[in-house]
Amino acid sequence: MKIANRYVALAVISAACIQVGSAQTHLKRVGKVTGATVNNQEVDIKTENAFIKVAVYSPNVIRVRMDKQQLGEDFSYAVVAKPQTTKVTVTQNDNEINLATDSLKVNIRKNPYAITFTTLAGEVINQDEAGLSTSWVSENVTTYKHMQDGEHFIGLGEKTGPLDRRGNAYTNWNSDVFAYSAGQDPLYSTIPFYIGVHHNVQYGIFMDNTWQSDFNFGASNNRFSSFAAKGGEMNYYFMYSSHLADVIASYTWLTGRIKMPPLWSLGYQQNRYSYYPDTEVYRVANTLREKKIPADGITLDIHYMDKYKVFTWDKSRFPDPQGLTRKLKDMGFKVTLIVDPGVKEEKGYGVYDRGVAADIFAKYPDSTNYTGQVWPGWCNFPDFTNPKGREFWAKELKAYAADGVSGIWNDMNEFSTWGQKAPDNIFFNYEGKGASHLQIHNVYGLEMIRSSYEGYRAALGGNKRPFVLTRSGYAGLQRFAAMWTGDNRAEDSHMMAGVRLMNSLGLSGVPYTGMDVGGFTGGASPALYARWMQIGAFNPYMRNHTQINTKSSEPWAYGEEVLEITRNYINLRYKLLPYLYSSFYEAKENGKPVMRSLAIDYTHDENVYSGTYENQYMFGQAFLVLPFDSQTAIGRVYFPAGKWYDMYTGAVQQGNTKLSIELVMSKLPVYVKESSIIPMQSLIQTTAEKPTDTLTIHVYRGDINNKFVYYEDDGESYDYEKGDFYKRTITYDAGKKAITFGKAEGSSKSKFNNIKVILHGFNATAIKLNGKQFKAADDFSALMVPISRFDPTGLSNPVEGENVKSLTVKNSDGQFAITY
């Protein structure tokens, strides 16, 4: 599609229209360009009513800033990247300004101002809606974009609703929404970044503005999509790449990427609001071990505190915190504590007294501390936008580190107060610049988790990875914390909404996500709990959690059959930890999420946007997960292009196919993509336990080439940043019929002395290792233990698995190849 001449016609109409920027309407449009100055890879533009800066941030990232007055100081809590020196060609004439990099072109019309982004071939990627462009109504600023035919809109972070957001509108205002409905908006966090898909192109737009914002993707109109903010400047980044995954890579280059999480945090986490006293915690821990349910974490909710006061322990319930964490560590458990920002206003309470002395609380304009009511009563709130506030928080966290606590769970950080109506005139330091609650609200959670991450890393000694979990945040939150989707309900609709929320967060740069598996409020049925735990095993963060005054939600609370089902899938997760950890390494390197909407790899397949199939996702690059609620007996599924192996039986399903499949409680439908490479280990009960010294690599025969970067490090320190890791690239070449293990990289030695390669779907008998004939063994692969038959007809159901070929070799650091 070429740039339409519609701009010219509409410009004439616009000039003839009555000026609508009158005092009566308070509406002001950008207007026509009156001057433009080129400064290397930036263009400063003056229009009738605005000041604009268009800057090339990289070959495929363009930044647009504009305001009604001269642009102010450039500052962002979200963006950490600096502009790259880029070769840019800039030309202009009386009608337009043109910029070109080696990736895209930018056309700026002068009368009136309007911007269009195109491919090098001139195909429209994204363009302002002619005649509307950007305008202000009082202090509200909105940019209007032309909706392309058939355009899909995805992402925008933690937003309920369908995968394709076309026809809907959303508000960003971080909110405490206890037991929210499956379609409620807004929720807890703000990530003002979305991806548009149309006509074989895809792009991303990130509006970096922390005020309340609104995104409209054709709701109540058939003309435009738009993004708007209640204050501040219009400031957005446009990014284009030939693959959607690269758009996410560009966004996470801008806003930062995850660091390697502590390995223990990828294990199963058992939570409740609340486990107390300490004898109850020991009971839960012992039962997990007795029933052979692998687990690595137990989380303590607010009842561990003395009258809910942060950085305290209730000594009647937890008389010996250090003894508790030490005993649990001996059992292979780490402890995570909930931490809320509200500090009880109580003289004699050390945390409060120190906060007052350091003068770090958010204030009213008359310099008195803002006071709001939460769990402990009336509280003051640390100003995390003040460097002194972050320093205060870091010092207070040292007490938890001394007690042996491994994880910090940030809650209520929207920030939440009873009444949920914190005043607009609360004043924050904002790095010395000063700002009101209206500007800081959406970024408060981000700066709290920054304080928690930086403070707890320092408290642990600087080289030990803290685990930080959050309920709220802003763009860039992935640098500091994992995120869970808040106080959901024990309902099928919430389980499926949680899948979409995590897929959307993955599209929005957040790879480490989870939900309250089993549901927080209410009580799940046995069938719902079993299905939720199955899906939870294929979440980046697997956390079981339920509310006070609900029935227990540990795996053994739903009967023996559900216990066996649950244990099967947690067992599988632990066997898959080498695959999962390597997938997190990929997220660290390029921002690609662990839990992936099919839109990432099958961007222009219209079926993936269908409401029937929108919940399907990839877990890493290999597994196609087909989630269904607990009440559906026959499920409609879609297999994208290629060939897919049933994970349980190895049966092959051809792609580009829609099927109806029978569903049973004991099994979640999961398939493996052809040519996949999946590293697995022996079953362990905790990551504190070493697996056997054989790494099993499952390879699935296919017709496409593939590669997998296998990655290990110590799982707990930052030494990997100094090269202390073990990594090797495993490639599958379908044409050459070869599986090649590249030379090991990094200064570490693998924890596995042997590699066992299991070949799925390979019928060849002439297998060679490094060019020499090698006799592969006939083997049998089964990932699940059969569920018992809970009736008089037998002991257990049949084993499901497949006949495979296998070969075992020493794990040397050098390259070796298997041909077939």
Side-chain angles (χ1 to χ4, degrees), residues 174-176 188 339-341 384 409-416 441-449 452 469-473 484:
N174 294 354
S175 302
D176 178 355
Y188 304 94
V339 175
D340 294 347
F384 296 111
W409 167 19
N410 295 253
D411 196 29
M412 308 288 285
N413 55 340
E414 291 72 30
F415 59 96
S416 173
H441 179 87
N442 281 341
V443 83
Y444 186 85
L446 175 70
E447 289 309 286
M448 181 185 179
I449 60 173
S452 293
L469 181 68
T470 189
R471 190 170 76 175
S472 183
W484 103 104

Side-chain angles (χ1 to χ4, degrees), residues 732-754:
Y732 178 90
D733 191 314
K736 294 181 179 179
K737 295 186 176 181
I739 304 159
T740 303
F741 288 69
K743 185 177 180 180
E745 301 175 51
S747 61
S748 290
K749 185 180 183 298
S750 174
K751 69 180 78 168
F752 300 101
N753 292 323
N754 303 299

Side-chain angles (χ1 to χ4, degrees), residues 498-513:
V499 168
R500 292 192 299 278
L501 285 170
M502 286 186 284
N503 284 340
S504 181
L505 284 163
L507 287 163
S508 309
V510 185
Y512 199 3
T513 57

